[in-house]
Amino acid sequence: MKILFLTIADQIREIETPGIYNDLVRYFRDNGHQMIVMYPTERRNRGRTSLYTRDGITYLSVRTLNVTKCSILEKGAGQMLIEGQFLRAFRKYLGKEKFDIILYSTPPITFTRVIANAKALNPEAMAYLMLKDIFPQNALDLGILSHKGFKGILYNYYRNKEKKLYMISDRIGCMSAANVDYILKNNHFLTPEKVGICPNSYTPVQREKLSPESIKEIKEKYGLPTDRPLLIYGGNMGVPQGIPFLIGCIKSMFNTDKCHFVIVGDGTKYKSLELFSQIFCVRTMTLIRSLPKEEFDRLTEACDVGMIFLDYRFTIPNFPSRMLSYMMARKPILVVTDPNCDMGSIAQQNGFGIYSPSNSVTAFNKAVDRILSSDLQQMGENGFNYFMNNYTTRHTYNAIINSKQ
């Protein structure tokens, strides 16, 4: 089949690099499908709109404004303009192509006209939405948007865009059962037949287990203690992750030697963690600015427990892909989120993690005690097995392909 994939993830151009979309596109390619990928070339990269082929995949890079790692003003303008930019590029370079599947994900929710145009030219094609981001409700939850004033105007604009995207999609693949329930409950125009599960996934990577000597070397490299369990948090450090609550949890363990926190990543709230560490001279935490994926994976393997944090205000079920990285590394997971997220219940019910609400430091402390008193090795194995049975690229591929049949 010939498949068009629309994405704002520009790392897709480095297709051999691991990632949820890179792995999926490679899997389609390796199973004999012809992949055509549209992605943005942001203004900062000084690229231009161009069509080229590399590694068995056809790419259409589309020059856009910056839509990542930029000011809110430019990001907002970029998100509004990107649809027109993609549409013009599609008509110019791909207007005569025939597709069997039109594949896309959120974010963004602003590809509706591109999808409609591609569908008009390919009426038999299946338009498949991989729903990763329920916007604008997530922004409403965090106070970024509101129902009133100018923010209310923006909310209504994006909500209408969201509805149009759902309506034009033939199938909607959600990350978990809670996502399916949420989408059907809050969008009554959708039928249950249209919405199903299409999980976040990775292609499993076979790694040799780190030797005790290698683990010691990694701990020495980052100045980590060797006499207590290491709890690692890795990824974005922004408003959605509830960083003030994470800081409160670490602060509550100033005077304990039961564990050590390893915090790795970057984002708008990184400075808050940095100031916290400097002002309080925190001895129970090591803060590391972003690491390349390979280095982060090795560091994770040297730690004992992975952590997920999400802001308690969320009314939508999120499913950060970082959870899968911990599962592949055979690490138990401490899932600290809002109650609408089903990651915690999935982890607990299947024996590879502990849930704690992200609004109670006391509950967090009890969850730490509970997970550290568990059989960490067995929990890690449970998580790896659950990953292999539910979250590999093959599972995502089958969810999409089976929808076409």
Side-chain angles (χ1 to χ4, degrees):
M1 288 191 288
K2 185 181 288 187
I3 300 168
L4 173 66
F5 178 45
L6 308 169
T7 179
I8 61 167
D10 65 350
Q11 59 266 34
I12 197 75
R13 67 188 188 277
E14 302 297 338
I15 198 62
E16 300 303 327
T17 302
I20 59 174
Y21 299 131
N22 294 40
D23 288 4
L24 182 60
V25 170
R26 284 201 315 275
Y27 200 93
F28 271 105
R29 178 199 65 187
D30 296 344
N31 278 274
H33 301 285
Q34 184 179 350
M35 297 300 299
I36 299 179
V37 178
M38 291 185 69
Y39 72 92
T41 294
E42 296 183 71
R43 181 174 62 86
R44 71 169 67 89
N45 297 322
R46 300 181 180 181
R48 60 178 62 188
T49 299
S50 62
L51 185 70
Y52 64 95
T53 299
R54 188 169 68 194
D55 299 321
I57 296 166
T58 299
Y59 293 94
L60 176 54
S61 67
V62 183
R63 179 172 171 82
T64 67
L65 293 180
N66 296 328
V67 291
T68 61
K69 299 178 181 178
C70 58
S71 68
I72 293 177
L73 183 63
E74 181 170 11
K75 184 173 184 177
Q79 292 283 12
M80 287 184 175
L81 293 173
I82 196 170
E83 182 177 39
Q85 293 162 335
F86 266 60
L87 181 57
R88 287 190 293 273
F90 174 82
R91 286 172 172 168
K92 180 177 179 179
Y93 292 95
L94 303 177
K96 295 182 179 180
E97 297 283 348
K98 296 299 178 184
F99 299 102
D100 299 289
I101 298 177
I102 303 162
L103 188 62
Y104 44 97
S105 66
T106 57
I109 59 170
T110 52
F111 280 157
T112 308
R113 285 195 294 148
V114 187
I115 298 158
N117 199 269
K119 281 279 289 180
L121 296 171
N122 303 270
E124 299 301 316
M126 176 183 68
Y128 193 101
L129 167 62
M130 296 185 291
L131 189 64
K132 308 295 186 186
D133 180 78
I134 302 177
F135 178 83
Q137 183 60 45
N138 53 6
L140 191 68
D141 290 343
L142 300 179
I144 299 170
L145 295 178
S146 71
H147 287 298
K148 297 180 180 179
F150 179 68
K151 289 183 177 180
I153 294 173
L154 286 177
Y155 169 79
N156 290 326
Y157 169 81
Y158 284 121
R159 176 60 174 147
N160 287 332
K161 283 281 188 182
E162 179 192 19
K163 289 179 180 179
K164 289 178 181 178
L165 183 65
Y166 294 165
M167 286 189 284
I168 202 172
S169 300
D170 296 309
R171 294 288 187 273
I172 299 174
C174 298
M175 297 179 291
S176 70
N179 278 261
V180 171
D181 293 342
Y182 179 90
I183 290 299
L184 290 174
K185 180 180 178 181
N186 291 277
N187 299 277
H188 297 297
F189 54 88
L190 295 176
T191 62
E193 296 75 23
K194 189 172 183 174
V195 186
I197 293 178
C198 181
N200 282 345
S201 63
Y202 283 110
T203 298
V205 178
Q206 296 295 328
R207 297 190 185 95
E208 288 188 13
K209 187 176 181 180
L210 291 177
S211 66
E213 293 76 18
S214 296
I215 292 175
K216 182 180 178 182
E217 288 177 6
I218 292 170
K219 290 181 177 180
E220 288 177 349
K221 177 180 179 180
Y222 296 104
L224 303 175
T226 58
D227 60 345
R228 68 200 71 170
L230 302 179
L231 277 61
I232 185 168
Y233 169 85
N236 190 41
M237 299 174 184
V239 175
Q241 287 69 44
I243 299 303
F245 181 74
L246 168 60
I247 290 173
C249 291
I250 297 171
K251 188 182 293 185
S252 72
M253 295 194 178
F254 271 169
N255 300 315
T256 181
D257 293 327
K258 71 173 69 173
C259 64
H260 186 84
F261 297 97
V262 184
I263 312 298
V264 187
D266 205 353
T268 56
K269 296 296 181 180
Y270 178 87
K271 278 290 183 184
S272 299
L273 278 159
E274 190 174 51
L275 286 171
F276 166 66
S277 178
Q278 292 171 350
I279 291 172
F280 291 96
C281 300
V282 184
R283 66 181 183 86
T284 54
M285 178 186 80
T286 298
L287 180 63
I288 304 170
R289 201 142 206 168
S290 295
L291 291 174
K293 187 179 187 308
E294 186 175 341
E295 289 185 38
F296 175 80
D297 289 343
R298 282 180 59 82
L299 176 56
T300 299
E301 290 185 49
C303 294
D304 301 283
V305 175
M307 296 189 295
I308 298 288
F309 276 81
L310 286 174
D311 194 292
Y312 194 80
R313 291 173 291 174
F314 276 123
T315 63
I316 58 169
N318 290 288
F319 201 111
S321 58
R322 180 64 66 190
M323 184 169 177
L324 305 186
S325 299
Y326 297 145
M327 296 169 77
M328 284 193 291
R330 292 178 164 86
K331 300 300 171 185
I333 307 172
L334 188 56
V335 185
V336 189
T337 70
D338 59 275
N340 297 293
C341 175
D342 56 350
M343 288 191 303
S345 60
I346 291 172
Q348 285 199 165
Q349 290 167 10
N350 294 281
F352 63 88
I354 299 294
Y355 169 73
S356 179
S358 55
N359 69 337
S360 170
V361 171
T362 300
F364 175 81
N365 278 266
K366 290 180 180 178
V368 170
D369 290 339
R370 184 178 170 191
I371 202 166
L372 292 181
S373 63
S374 302
D375 185 337
L376 299 183
Q377 184 174 348
Q378 185 59 56
M379 289 182 77
E381 288 298 324
N382 293 344
F384 179 77
N385 292 333
Y386 195 82
F387 166 82
M388 293 298 293
N389 291 327
N390 295 275
Y391 299 133
T392 71
T393 306
R394 175 175 59 85
H395 291 95
T396 305
Y397 171 85
N398 286 339
I400 296 168
I401 290 296
N402 291 340
S403 296
K404 177 65 174 171
Q405 297 172 354

